[in-house]
Amino acid sequence: MMDEHARRRQARESFKNDALRAWKDYQLNGRHLMQTEVGAWLKTWGTPGETAMPIHTPDEPGTGYARARS
């Protein structure tokens, strides 16, 4: 029972740390994915028409996002 509790606590901490690292990375460079595009992109995996990851940068036109510059 205690092993299971420790495993779950470690998994929660790992998830939280991954999320914090991702948030810091996003704050530094603004790169992001859009959910609707990710779904379409994943459907191309393993097919002859496989496409590149649809990653966006902050000032890219049409992304609906522009990061304020300091």
Side-chain angles (χ1 to χ4, degrees):
M1 184 70 154
M2 193 57 143
D3 288 339
E4 179 65 18
H5 176 72
R7 187 187 68 74
R8 288 178 185 228
R9 185 178 54 207
Q10 182 180 10
R12 278 193 304 272
E13 282 299 311
S14 179
F15 178 80
K16 181 176 136 184
N17 289 335
D18 287 348
L20 289 173
R21 276 192 298 274
W23 175 242
K24 287 178 184 177
D25 186 54
Y26 172 74
Q27 289 177 309
L28 287 172
N29 63 42
R31 291 181 304 163
H32 60 283
L33 301 171
M34 299 174 118
Q35 182 179 4
T36 54
E37 293 175 330
V38 170
W41 168 58
L42 291 174
K43 288 178 184 176
T44 71
W45 282 19
T47 70
E50 188 169 326
T51 60
M53 183 182 353
I55 195 160
H56 297 284
T57 55
D59 298 320
E60 186 177 332
T63 62
Y65 170 82
R67 184 171 54 156
R69 301 274 181 201
S70 340

